[in-house]
Amino acid sequence: MASLSDSVGSLSGVGPKRVQALKDLAIENVNDLLTYFPFRYEDLQAKDPAELTDQAKVALKGTVAAEPVLTRFGRKKNRLNFRLLLDDHTIIPVTFFNQPWLRDQIEAGKSLVVYGRFDAKRQSMAGMKLLTSANGAMGSIYPANKEIRQATIKKLVTQAYEAYESVIVDLIPEAIRAQYRLLHRKQMIHDMHFPADATAAQAARRTAKFEEFFLFELRLQIVKRQDHTLRGQALPYDLAELKRFIASLPYELTAAQKKVVNEICYDLKRPLHMNRLLQGDVGSGKTVVAAIGMYAAITAGTQAVLMAPTEILAEQHANNLAKLFADFPVNVALLTGATKPAARKVLLPQIANGEVNLVVGTHALIQPEVHYHHLGLAVIDEQHRFGVNQRQALRQKGAQPDILAMTATPIPRTLAITAYGEMDVSVINELPAGRQPIRTVWIRSNQEASMLREVKAELAAGSQAYVVTPLIEESEAVDMKNAEAIYQRFQAQFEPQYRVGLLHGRMKNDEKNAIMDAFKANEFQVLVATTVIEVGVDVPNATLMMIYDADHFGLAQLHQLRGRVGRGKKASTCILIADPKNQLAIERMTTMTSTTDGFVLSQKDLELRGPGDVLGRKQSGVPEFKVGDPVADLNILSVAQQAAKSVVDQDDWANQDANLPVAAYLTTTAHQTTTMD
Ligand code: ADP
Ligand code: MG
């Protein structure tokens, strides 16, 4: 029986070569072809010639005034001329070049719609297409390429629709279709390709988007549920011991931190797999929450790891955690690419036999040679800095540890639903008490001198300052040169009264760490740095930050950088130095000065620069959709998500009558299942 999963090769006129060419357009079966939608339409509706502008592509409706005349010139060239009598009695000469076969369709007295380019001076038309009412008045335009042309796609789609029309069934369950006033699938597919008018095309597109998002969300929900049940391990932690640790902290947890700790502990104890995303703005105190979770795993007799994106950050975490756990039975070890072979040789067996129960490090933690005794919880700090594969590798260590992924880049809802839809989300939505808001100002580079006076006044009051140097391109060598030039200028300006340090990505780790330690100990008052200080660095006495060429950074990144100040009791200032050249960059600067709300900023970033930049270039994880745009169509996306949840939440959902077609569809298209970590 004919089925939409039939290969496109089963259509007539599609041989192996064309199968391959279609495959390049991701069209393998009939369903792929039928959902290969036009990206726009030419409006072929007949127009009034009085309104026409010269060279406009238009459709004119009229009657053929006299038999057409075909003139051949040269071997292959020819011209077909006839006169079209419009309803208002004007006569328009029409010429079709090299389409001799059209002569059979044109006869005197016949009513026609001709689509073509209108010449206003001559009041004539160069014909492009002949339309009959069957074509509809909207010309579909498909993405095509050299191998497969527009006309071919159109022909194949028409052919496929005619042959398979009768087996197109609704995938969206009837109740949902009715609730959201969606079209039947057959109608939707018809109207996407052959709409009668713009309104029909629009309605079809709305349903097409919904269907696409709905199917995507269904797959996601199914994966999420399987993930929960299939890979779980229960970690029966020692609650009394955990309370003792929390009581030992030098501060009271914020209400938001407590809530998140409870969510994590609840997940750890259940025999289900945890896959949780912890969002919290810079400085909201995610690390201590992770520490509590890791200690819980340790009291349950397992190990914990914390993976950070940079060596500086990993080392800082290792130091902080060693201090926090000084009086507790926790053996903290640091494992990074910089760990010396001799130390590594000692460390690996200790990790393998469980002697070390808390391992902090970089992606060195996921190398194949690193074996864990019993990994209970894996924490990923600044997780958006890692590629999907690295996150996946960490998950596959040992017996599928529970995962806590932390991010300071607030994730706009679009991305929370798509890129992270399979994760549970916890949010720390308040900062520890007593934090001062960061004042942000934007100046032009010609105001630098007065800025430096302000900096000196701050330093005189005992504060420290970061100076972030321009990010010209993604090249460490160029960044370093800039950093060195600014470093020398600042030395000339500030030394010997204040000491100036330099930090850049090309330095050896020992050097970097020495500089960071010295800055922390206030041996330097000014630290000139590239974006290596972007994440995690914590020096509460630093209350001033200057960012050169700030317009070269994205909002999320500026927000991260700015988060290095405002970490102590003193009020902090962030100065953006930028001479933006275009409107978008100006908008970014004014947005930075007007809000410190990370959510507002990342939503703005998403709108201005797209998801890749918000989540980091490595791998945005945002799937590609054919018709839906997860940013622009957020409303449809979230409604479709709700609908998908409501389906999967039903008992034995895949065997309910209303869901049978979609369940079958998901099974036959299992190869498309979005693999995400
Ligand atoms: P982030 O969420 O940016 O990773 P951190 O975990 O680095 O934040 O915490 C920022 C600073 O706030 C650290 O110095 C930490 O010790 C401190 N901190 C965390 N929680 C609290 C709290 N509840 N009260 C006061 N200070 C806190
Ligand atoms: Mg952090």
Side-chain angles (χ1 to χ4, degrees):
M1 207 192 96
S3 144
L4 297 188
S5 55
D6 289 353
S7 155
V8 279
S10 63
L11 296 170
S12 72
V14 183
K17 225 175 131 190
R18 198 160 263 179
V19 165
Q20 188 52 47
L22 285 166
K23 200 172 171 184
D24 293 341
L25 296 174
I27 301 172
E28 297 188 34
N29 59 32
V30 173
N31 189 66
D32 297 337
L33 181 61
L34 290 177
T35 54
Y36 192 79
F37 294 131
F39 63 93
R40 68 181 179 86
Y41 304 91
E42 282 171 327
D43 186 358
L44 303 184
Q45 294 195 75
K47 291 262 169 24
D48 179 351
E51 293 170 7
L52 297 181
T53 51
D54 191 36
Q55 302 304 315
K57 286 188 195 167
V58 290
L60 294 177
K61 186 163 163 252
T63 335
V64 180
E67 289 301 322
V69 179
L70 181 66
T71 319
R72 296 186 184 272
F73 46 99
R75 262 159 58 86
K76 284 191 179 148
K77 298 194 172 137
N78 57 71
R79 184 172 69 205
L80 185 65
N81 285 322
F82 66 97
R83 284 134 64 87
L84 190 68
L85 173 65
L86 306 187
D87 293 345
D88 68 351
H89 303 292
T90 22
I91 288 191
I92 304 282
V94 179
T95 309
F96 277 96
F97 287 98
N98 307 321
Q99 299 187 49
W101 57 87
L102 289 178
R103 185 168 58 175
D104 300 340
Q105 297 170 38
I106 301 166
E107 52 195 72
K110 187 172 173 183
S111 150
L112 283 180
V113 178
V114 182
Y115 179 74
R117 194 181 290 281
F118 186 68
D119 185 325
K121 212 158 74 206
R122 299 204 178 100
Q123 289 285 298
S124 67
M125 177 177 250
M128 294 157 73
K129 268 181 218 164
L130 206 54
L131 307 174
T132 55
S133 56
N135 290 95
M138 305 283 288
S140 303
I141 311 288
Y142 296 89
N145 62 24
K146 265 218 168 97
E147 275 76 55
I148 300 268
R149 299 189 177 279
Q150 252 335 292
T152 312
I153 292 174
K154 217 161 178 160
K155 207 182 79 202
L156 291 176
V157 167
T158 310
Q159 189 192 335
Y161 184 80
E162 279 164 7
Y164 286 86
E165 180 186 12
S166 61
V167 294
I168 301 176
V169 295
D170 279 330
L171 298 180
I172 299 170
E174 178 57 25
I176 293 172
R177 203 188 60 74
Q179 184 183 352
Y180 298 109
R181 284 171 286 110
L182 303 167
L183 303 178
H184 286 291
R185 184 163 210 250
K186 188 166 130 185
Q187 175 95 52
M188 177 274 281
I189 288 176
H190 177 273
D191 287 358
M192 281 299 282
H193 295 291
F194 324 109
D197 52 34
T199 317
Q202 224 166 14
R205 193 158 291 264
R206 177 172 168 271
T207 297
K209 286 175 178 176
F210 188 101
E211 180 186 286
E212 183 174 35
F213 288 145
F214 176 74
L215 295 173
F216 168 79
E217 287 296 336
L218 265 185
R219 290 202 177 94
L220 210 61
Q221 297 299 328
I222 293 166
V223 169
K224 187 169 173 174
R225 278 167 170 73
Q226 283 171 348
D227 191 53
H228 265 315
T229 47
L230 294 183
R231 317 205 251 204
Q233 54 175 339
L235 299 182
Y237 58 85
D238 182 338
L239 182 61
E241 184 58 15
L242 206 56
K243 282 188 169 159
R244 190 170 78 87
F245 173 63
I246 294 171
S248 78
L249 296 171
Y251 40 73
E252 171 100 6
L253 294 179
T254 63
Q257 284 172 318
K258 285 181 191 161
K259 186 187 80 200
V260 173
V261 164
N262 283 335
E263 286 166 353
I264 294 168
C265 287
Y266 178 74
D267 270 3
L268 291 180
K269 203 162 207 166
R270 289 195 304 170
L272 299 177
H273 184 75
M274 173 167 89
N275 190 15
R276 188 170 281 283
L277 180 69
L278 171 54
Q279 285 187 50
D281 216 335
V282 276
S284 61
K286 293 183 292 294
T287 314
V288 71
V289 168
I292 296 167
M294 292 192 292
Y295 192 49
I298 290 168
T299 66
T302 66
Q303 291 168 300
V305 299
L306 171 61
M307 182 165 79
T310 66
E311 278 160 12
I312 294 192
L313 194 51
E315 172 151 349
Q316 187 177 293
H317 275 316
N319 290 338
N320 288 343
L321 290 168
K323 264 184 239 150
L324 280 179
F325 288 122
D327 300 330
F328 295 84
V330 176
N331 269 333
V332 183
L334 176 68
L335 181 66
T336 71
T339 305
K340 301 252 154 47
R344 204 180 144 84
K345 226 169 143 185
V346 178
L347 197 51
L348 291 189
Q350 291 176 331
I351 296 173
N353 69 20
E355 208 176 309
V356 162
N357 49 14
L358 176 52
V359 198
V360 181
T362 54
H363 50 269
L365 294 171
I366 51 175
Q367 287 162 344
E369 315 86 78
V370 184
H371 299 285
Y372 296 87
H373 180 61
H374 183 177
L375 195 51
L377 175 64
V379 178
I380 308 173
D381 193 22
E382 309 292 346
Q383 65 87 34
H384 60 286
R385 290 295 206 92
F386 292 97
V388 171
N389 294 339
Q390 291 168 312
R391 285 180 266 163
Q392 196 66 31
L394 185 54
R395 276 184 77 161
Q396 272 147 14
K397 281 285 179 192
Q400 307 271 5
D402 281 343
I403 297 286
L404 179 66
M406 309 200 289
T407 179
T409 303
I411 295 174
R413 274 190 59 226
T414 289
L415 303 181
I417 294 176
T418 54
Y420 296 99
E422 85 290 14
M423 301 182 94
D424 292 311
V425 179
S426 290
V427 183
I428 303 184
N429 55 2
E430 69 182 312
L431 296 180
R435 289 281 166 81
Q436 298 275 355
I438 303 167
R439 180 176 69 103
T440 302
V441 290
W442 164 34
I443 64 167
R444 305 260 171 189
S445 52
N446 61 14
Q447 296 166 281
E448 194 189 19
S450 68
M451 172 194 82
L452 291 177
R453 281 195 292 279
E454 187 179 336
V455 173
K456 280 188 177 151
E458 277 285 310
L459 296 185
S463 284
Q464 290 169 272
Y466 292 103
V467 179
V468 179
T469 59
L471 178 87
I472 302 296
E473 47 190 295
E474 307 249 329
S475 147
E476 277 191 1
V478 178
D479 291 349
M480 182 185 75
K481 256 182 89 185
N482 281 307
E484 276 169 351
I486 290 183
Y487 170 59
Q488 280 161 16
R489 272 202 356 246
F490 270 76
Q491 274 187 316
Q493 277 277 342
F494 289 89
E495 290 197 334
Q497 201 179 358
Y498 304 107
R499 287 202 57 205
V500 182
L502 173 66
L503 187 71
H504 60 71
R506 286 249 169 136
M507 287 175 156
K508 293 228 169 61
N509 284 296
D510 296 354
E511 266 180 286
K512 280 193 223 164
N513 292 328
I515 300 271
M516 273 323 296
D517 289 346
F519 186 61
K520 224 172 187 165
N522 203 359
E523 287 166 29
F524 296 115
Q525 289 69 50
V526 180
L527 183 64
V528 176
T530 58
T531 53
V532 289
I533 59 148
E534 182 186 336
V535 291
V537 171
D538 189 23
V539 180
N541 191 47
T543 58
L544 197 60
M545 167 160 288
M546 282 150 274
I547 305 176
Y548 278 91
D549 282 359
D551 54 328
H552 288 248
F553 298 90
L555 289 175
Q557 200 177 13
L558 287 171
H559 185 60
Q560 283 286 321
L561 286 166
R562 181 168 63 181
R564 300 306 110 219
V565 296
R567 302 174 82 84
K569 297 236 154 26
K570 282 195 266 183
S572 292
T573 305
C574 175
I575 302 169
L576 309 172
I577 304 140
D579 303 307
K581 301 274 183 302
N582 62 53
Q583 197 51 44
L584 277 184
I586 291 173
E587 198 173 331
R588 288 216 300 278
M589 294 303 100
T590 51
T591 307
M592 279 305 292
T593 56
S594 62
T595 181
T596 52
D597 183 330
F599 273 95
V600 173
L601 287 168
S602 69
Q603 179 61 40
K604 198 85 193 172
D605 226 11
L606 185 67
E607 288 162 15
L608 296 178
R609 313 210 310 171
D613 281 301
V614 177
L615 292 176
R617 239 169 274 275
K618 279 207 175 117
Q619 190 109 35
S620 76
V622 180
E624 291 208 5
F625 292 96
K626 285 178 168 182
V627 268
D629 172 344
V631 178
D633 304 317
L634 176 60
N635 285 338
I636 303 180
L637 175 63
S638 41
V639 170
Q641 183 196 36
Q642 287 312 312
K645 273 190 181 149
S646 75
V647 169
V648 182
D649 278 340
Q650 297 163 20
D651 287 336
D652 197 17
W653 75 270
N655 291 315
Q656 303 299 323
D657 282 349
N659 306 330
L660 291 178
V662 73
Y665 176 86
L666 292 179
T667 317
T668 56
T669 55
H671 65 281
Q672 295 171 4
T673 301
T674 342
T675 43
M676 286 186 297
D677 67 335

